[in-house]
Amino acid sequence: MSGALISSRWWIIICFIVIVAVGLIVYHPGLNIGFWTDDYAFLDAIGRLDFPDYLGAYFDPRLQWHWYRPMQGLAWWIGYLLFRDDARGHHILQLVLHLLNACLLFELARAITRRWRPALLAALVYAVLSVDSLAVLWVGVADPLVSFFYLLSLRLWLEYLADGRRRWFVFTTLTLIGALLSKELGATLPVALFLADRWVSAKPTTWFGLARRYALFVFLGALYGLLELNVLTRGLFTNSLGYGAGGHIWLGLAQHAATLAFPWGLPSPVNYVWLALILGLVAVTILRGERRGLFLVALILLTLLPILPFPVVLSSSARYLYLPLMGSAIGVGLAFELLTRRRWMMPLAALIGTGLLVWNSATIAESAVAFEGTARQTRSQFRPIFQAFPTFPPDTLVYFLNPPMQSPYISGLMFLRYGRGVSASGTDIDLPARLSAHHAAWIFYQDDETRWQSISVAKNFSVTTTPNLPARFQVIQLEEFELANPRVKPGQAIGLSLYWRATAAINRDYTIFAQLIDARGQIVAGVDTQPQHGASPTSRWRANQSTADGMVIPVDADVPPGEYSLALGWYDLTTMHRLELLNASGEPMGDHIRVAPIWVIE
């Protein structure tokens, strides 16, 4: 082996060490953040499912309602196997992925530009950029994982195109599969590989040779597309969050392009003026036919495409730009190299680079502190429950009315606190809780002063509704309800879970009333509220949509003991007109339904 080759390899290793060291210095404050939101859902699935069921929960597309990302679930399982519930360990893994991505970007930029200096500068910029730091600080984000497979695939593919060894093709295929199963933007990778072939390698080949070379990649991409389409068409993003085509795509493209053009942020409209300047340089690149420059531009657009169908308000977070920013980093690296070509400009370039490094470090440290405070506040709001209930019996369900965060997150938090024997659900899940199916159950809710209150769920009782369920109030149907306890003492509260379905589109916001009625027909207690305390107004319900809701009816201390009935109904607050209760033939039969007897006891 020649001395030049050894020297070259050692130089590359030194570059890797510099990239990793700088990244560690900048991001080490993020290791103390702890878990947050999505993290708890991943931990909940790991802790409660046996491994075969866990694999099925992520790899079976029929069970997905968000996205199809089984590789992310597998990565979380590996992290849990290594670190259990130690948040610091999971943050270390996320940071390791980020640093590997920076090193891979160095290798990719070196292969594209054929120069080590702009490649090193690009990797350093990418390692310390603060605009997308949330993708590194939040372990529940899949962008570093998919970027690892994406960048590695491109680098391996360039090796294959250079020497044609079959092993590089096999490795590229495996990493392509990893990217596809990590996040949706992996679907653009086959196109990126083809463009790398045509614009970076640019070796002559026939159309038949191209078809043969990419047949497997096209097949894998099509197969993944069918799986992902099946999930998205019935999933949360498409049906509730507005993921799809529309005019918002152009607005999102303009905003993201401005960020990518200058990732340290410029005030509007200066950012768009700068964007116009960058687009002018891109146009010059196109006119001059500089294929490697075209490849970088195409790579940015490709990795940006899956983000654009999100509504702008959802995709505005720059963490979604984690992978597209690699193109910006390479552009900045090339710009810095131009500055350093003239010796008298090198001090200025060093000053700018040092300033950006210090600024990014301070910004990331500040973001880490703020994020840690948010994560701690998220956990601390449940501290009163933990203090009031040091333990729960095995097979306990804690059910939250209008939970402060998504029930899967709360369930993961409960798992970390109490173990597998305690699970959580809430009215944000549009499925019956089956409170009585558990050995023990509690309903939790926050009162008007945001203090936690609890209602113990009684066992082995049944109630009879008149008429039988489902009961239809014109366009709203009561499918089922669950009562915590038919017996309450004066001063306590009645807890009720209701499961509604819209039989048609609704153009008004109706209000629910729940009333405790005595034998003389007098109302002794009641509550009026819109579904989920106004968080789910009926005007937003779609036809056939199911919606869970929870109600708490306080019983005053002066309510005398005796038997009462619980009545439910709907009305329009603007007109006070009540919805009619219809029988099976569609004929009116009153304006409320008495769903259960209630006993106020001494």
Side-chain angles (χ1 to χ4, degrees):
M1 185 178 295
S2 68
L5 181 59
I6 295 175
S7 176
S8 174
R9 287 184 176 180
W10 275 109
W11 182 243
I12 291 173
I13 292 173
I14 291 172
C15 289
F16 286 160
I17 293 173
V18 171
I19 294 167
V20 171
V22 171
L24 284 174
I25 293 171
V26 171
Y27 270 103
H28 82 275
L31 300 180
N32 300 316
I33 288 174
F35 296 121
W36 190 59
T37 59
D38 287 5
D39 307 342
Y40 292 116
F42 285 110
L43 292 168
D44 189 59
I46 294 170
R48 298 186 190 281
L49 298 175
D50 295 330
F51 185 64
D53 295 331
Y54 181 81
L55 288 180
Y58 281 100
F59 280 87
D60 188 344
R62 298 170 299 178
L63 302 179
Q64 313 308 314
W65 58 282
H66 258 140
W67 48 64
Y68 190 67
R69 302 177 183 175
M71 191 60 68
Q72 188 182 19
L74 190 59
W76 266 94
W77 180 82
I78 294 172
Y80 189 77
L81 192 66
L82 295 173
F83 301 107
R84 308 301 290 179
D85 58 357
D86 181 4
R88 178 183 286 265
H90 292 270
H91 279 285
I92 289 174
L93 287 181
Q94 189 81 339
L95 180 55
V96 167
L97 271 177
H98 175 62
L99 298 178
L100 285 174
N101 290 336
C103 292
L104 284 172
L105 181 62
F106 168 73
E107 278 294 287
L108 184 62
R110 195 166 64 91
I112 294 173
T113 64
R114 296 176 179 174
R115 299 193 297 274
W116 69 266
R117 185 177 297 171
L120 177 60
L121 292 171
L124 289 173
V125 167
Y126 190 71
V128 303
L129 270 179
S130 60
V131 64
D132 61 338
S133 60
L134 185 60
V136 184
L137 298 174
W138 183 8
V139 293
V141 172
D143 296 84
L145 180 65
V146 68
S147 298
F148 170 75
F149 287 114
Y150 206 106
L151 294 170
L152 184 56
S153 293
L154 284 170
R155 188 64 188 93
L156 292 172
W157 191 238
L158 290 176
E159 286 293 329
Y160 171 75
L161 295 174
D163 62 23
R165 295 183 183 179
R166 187 173 182 83
R167 64 181 182 182
W168 300 124
F169 185 93
V170 174
F171 291 155
T172 303
T173 303
L174 294 176
T175 52
L176 168 65
I177 294 173
L180 291 174
L181 300 183
S182 295
K183 195 173 182 180
E184 293 68 39
L185 62 81
T188 65
L189 182 53
V191 180
L193 296 177
F194 176 78
L195 294 180
D197 188 341
R198 297 295 83 208
W199 288 347
V200 178
S201 176
K203 285 187 176 180
T205 186
T206 64
W207 285 107
F208 176 77
L210 287 175
R212 181 180 177 183
R213 181 179 295 170
Y214 291 96
L216 178 58
F217 296 164
V218 171
F219 170 76
L220 292 174
L223 180 61
Y224 167 80
L226 291 175
L227 293 174
E228 188 66 45
L229 184 64
N230 177 49
V231 175
L232 286 179
T233 52
R234 57 183 173 79
L236 176 68
F237 285 160
T238 304
N239 295 320
S240 298
L241 301 181
Y243 185 85
H248 63 279
I249 285 180
W250 300 107
L251 178 58
L253 177 60
Q255 292 185 359
H256 290 315
T259 301
L260 291 168
F262 194 84
W264 294 277
L266 287 172
S268 185
V270 178
N271 58 336
Y272 290 107
V273 175
W274 180 262
L275 174 61
L277 175 63
I278 297 300
L279 291 178
L281 294 177
V282 171
V284 172
T285 300
I286 295 174
L287 291 175
R288 293 176 61 179
E290 296 180 2
R291 293 185 174 184
R292 293 170 184 267
L294 288 176
F295 174 71
L296 284 177
V297 174
L299 201 57
I300 293 173
L301 291 176
L302 277 176
T303 53
L304 194 59
L305 281 178
I307 304 169
L308 298 179
F310 278 111
V312 175
V313 67
L314 293 177
S315 65
S316 58
S317 173
R319 72 176 176 88
Y320 293 106
L321 301 180
Y322 180 84
L323 184 55
L325 279 166
M326 65 181 179
S328 300
I330 294 176
V332 172
L334 290 170
F336 266 92
E337 191 204 25
L338 287 176
L339 286 177
T340 57
R341 284 183 180 180
R342 299 182 182 273
R343 290 190 176 183
W344 65 272
M345 291 290 288
M346 291 182 67
L348 177 61
L351 180 63
I352 294 174
T354 303
L356 289 176
L357 176 61
V358 173
W359 185 85
N360 277 285
S361 299
T363 304
I364 290 173
E366 183 180 353
S367 299
V369 171
F371 194 4
E372 194 277 332
T374 301
R376 184 176 62 254
Q377 185 178 8
T378 300
R379 297 188 297 269
S380 64
Q381 64 184 324
F382 296 95
R383 186 176 300 156
I385 296 177
F386 299 152
Q387 293 172 342
F389 295 86
T391 61
F392 281 107
D395 186 26
T396 291
L397 174 69
V398 288
Y399 189 77
F400 290 83
L401 306 185
N402 307 309
M405 63 179 185
Q406 294 183 30
S407 291
Y409 305 161
I410 301 177
S411 188
L413 195 62
M414 295 296 159
F415 163 71
L416 294 182
R417 176 71 181 190
Y418 299 108
R420 296 178 66 172
V422 179
S423 58
S425 186
T427 51
D428 58 323
I429 305 295
D430 298 327
L431 296 172
R434 302 290 182 245
L435 299 172
S436 60
H438 297 266
H439 175 73
W442 272 264
I443 290 179
F444 286 92
Y445 65 96
Q446 291 180 310
D447 60 20
D448 294 337
E449 298 178 0
T450 66
R451 295 175 302 188
W452 285 110
Q453 304 293 339
S454 62
I455 300 174
S456 177
V457 177
K459 299 288 291 181
N460 302 322
F461 73 88
S462 61
V463 294
T464 303
T465 60
T466 305
N468 294 328
L469 298 182
R472 182 177 176 184
F473 293 89
Q474 292 180 222
V475 292
I476 301 174
Q477 187 163 283
L478 178 63
E479 300 281 318
E480 192 173 342
F481 77 96
E482 295 185 71
L483 183 64
N485 196 333
R487 298 179 182 272
V488 296
K489 294 181 180 180
Q492 294 182 339
I494 301 168
L496 191 65
S497 297
L498 306 166
Y499 305 96
W500 305 97
R501 184 174 65 85
T503 58
I506 305 172
N507 58 7
R508 294 178 179 271
D509 290 331
Y510 290 107
T511 299
I512 314 169
F513 65 85
Q515 298 170 344
L516 194 63
I517 302 174
D518 64 15
R520 296 176 298 172
Q522 299 297 312
I523 301 173
V524 299
V527 65
D528 294 46
T529 181
Q530 289 197 358
Q532 298 181 2
H533 279 215
S536 180
T538 56
S539 60
R540 298 181 188 173
W541 292 8
R542 302 183 310 275
N544 292 318
Q545 174 184 333
S546 297
T547 301
D549 192 22
M551 301 187 75
V552 176
I553 304 107
V555 178
D556 291 341
D558 58 356
V559 173
E563 182 177 349
Y564 298 83
S565 60
L566 184 59
L568 299 173
W570 291 84
Y571 65 91
D572 184 348
L573 185 61
T574 59
T575 65
M576 300 306 294
H577 175 73
R578 290 189 176 187
L579 294 182
E580 292 179 325
L581 180 65
L582 307 178
N583 62 18
S585 302
E587 299 172 346
M589 51 183 299
D591 58 14
H592 67 274
I593 179 177
R594 300 200 177 195
V595 294
I598 300 292
W599 288 270
V600 177
I601 60 176
E602 295 286 356

